[in-house]
Amino acid sequence: MSVEATAPGKMILFGEHSVVYRGPAIVLAIDRRARVVASKREDKRVYIDAEDLGFSGYFEENEYYALSGKAWRGRNLSALNVASKKVMEHLGVEGGVNLVVRSMIPMAVGLGSSAAVCVATTAAVGELFNGNLTKKEIAELSFEGEKIIHGTPSGVDNNVATFGGIMKYERGQPFESFKLEQQLPFVIGNTRRKRSTKNLVDEVRFLKEKNPEIVDGIIDSIGKISKIGLDALFKRNLEKIGDLMNINHGLLSALGVSTPELDELVYAARREGALGAKLTGAGGGGCMIAIAKDENLSKIEKGIMRNKGQSIRVNLSDEGVTTRRINSGDS
Ligand code: PMV
């Protein structure tokens, strides 16, 4: 018997970087998912087959042994080793697992791929050992794995990957999660440039320390955008959402986290009729998002591709983590 679990990626609509200090971020689950199939082993190793990401290997006593791909990839995979071990510890079982990881979420570009993989691993291993984990437990245990990759992440990615839908996150406050009333027409543009969230957060902190009188005001303004933006989202006021996205992008540029490639995709999307466009996530590369009337979405996608971006059409998704038992013979 094995267990398949899936979890969604995400995009940040408003509030990245300011959320590190104060004010909410608004985050949306998307219909690009990561999938993990877990099965039990006789020994205590954690085997990870992540062949479509280009690497596979196993952990024994927390030491990584590469089977294919570079040995340093163990750093990416150690989150899954830790998440699996935390689940077993939580359930009071000892054992080993095989994990087959497949993901439709591009890596390291701000779309929550590592959180989705961690959440799916946690849920799959939990179900494999009949743990009946609640969603809250899945989010918390997977966070232990994510910390290995991101140091001190805000915790929004693992929560949105677990619960799906729309999430409002503010430091020191409980998460608020909402179901979607209707779809919203978004396009993602990927610059394909990978970046480190941690480095970008450090750069903003440094700018803030040098110029608190200006940067504090920018952070407050972004926080206000998130609050007004959530209301516009519930009212499905696309024009308002678009205006707020444009302003949010300008403020993120002022914080120094946009790049020429991101700006090109943002302006291309606006030229092709987007109501609003902004970078999403930490910036420094990664992705931008645009909102538009349905009839303009194809033009925007072409504009993104003409400007060397990868265009990804997404739907928002209410579906958080899912698990399914697979008996041998099933697929
Ligand atoms: O690019 P991502 O998805 O890692 O987003 C980072 C969002 C920040 O606000 C910059 C950092 C955080 O932990 O909230």
Side-chain angles (χ1 to χ4, degrees), residues 10-12 106-113 157 195 197 280-282 286-287:
K10 66 96 190 21
M11 59 189 188
I12 300 181
M107 280 198 327
V109 288
L111 298 181
S113 111
D157 282 21
R195 77 289 175 286
T197 297
T280 184
C287 293

Side-chain angles (χ1 to χ4, degrees), residues 183-234:
Q183 270 308 324
L184 284 163
F186 282 105
V187 174
I188 296 178
N190 181 4
T191 64
R192 298 188 179 87
R193 186 185 289 271
K194 297 192 172 151
R195 77 289 175 286
S196 143
T197 297
K198 184 180 175 306
N199 292 350
L200 286 141
V201 168
D202 287 348
E203 282 167 31
V204 172
R205 175 166 295 119
F206 189 46
L207 187 75
K208 181 173 164 355
E209 277 163 14
K210 284 192 296 175
N211 309 280
E213 58 291 325
I214 304 295
V215 173
D216 281 344
I218 294 175
I219 284 169
D220 289 339
S221 296
I222 297 179
K224 270 187 211 153
I225 288 176
S226 295
K227 284 183 195 147
I228 301 170
L230 184 61
D231 191 51
L233 203 61
F234 291 141

Side-chain angles (χ1 to χ4, degrees), residues 75-182:
R75 252 188 299 155
N76 301 63
L77 297 183
S78 60
L80 307 191
N81 176 48
V82 169
S84 309
K85 298 263 170 64
K86 289 277 171 194
V87 174
M88 290 188 252
E89 204 181 292
H90 181 77
L91 299 176
V93 294
E94 284 199 352
V97 286
N98 296 311
L99 303 173
V100 180
V101 178
R102 299 288 180 261
S103 179
M104 296 294 289
I105 311 164
M107 280 198 327
V109 288
L111 298 181
S113 111
S114 52
V117 170
C118 260
V119 165
T121 297
T122 305
V125 175
E127 182 66 22
L128 192 63
F129 289 100
N130 303 314
N132 281 323
L133 297 177
T134 62
K135 286 199 168 174
K136 189 165 175 288
E137 285 173 310
I138 293 172
E140 282 167 10
L141 290 163
S142 61
F143 193 54
E144 297 301 317
E146 243 217 302
K147 280 199 248 175
I148 303 284
I149 302 181
H150 289 309
T152 50
S154 59
V156 74
D157 282 21
N158 56 305
N159 272 286
V160 80
T162 304
F163 292 97
I166 300 172
M167 192 138 246
K168 177 180 170 203
Y169 170 67
E170 189 162 1
R171 217 161 240 268
Q173 312 270 346
F175 286 94
E176 288 178 55
S177 127
F178 309 93
K179 293 284 167 209
L180 286 172
E181 297 296 318
Q182 300 172 61

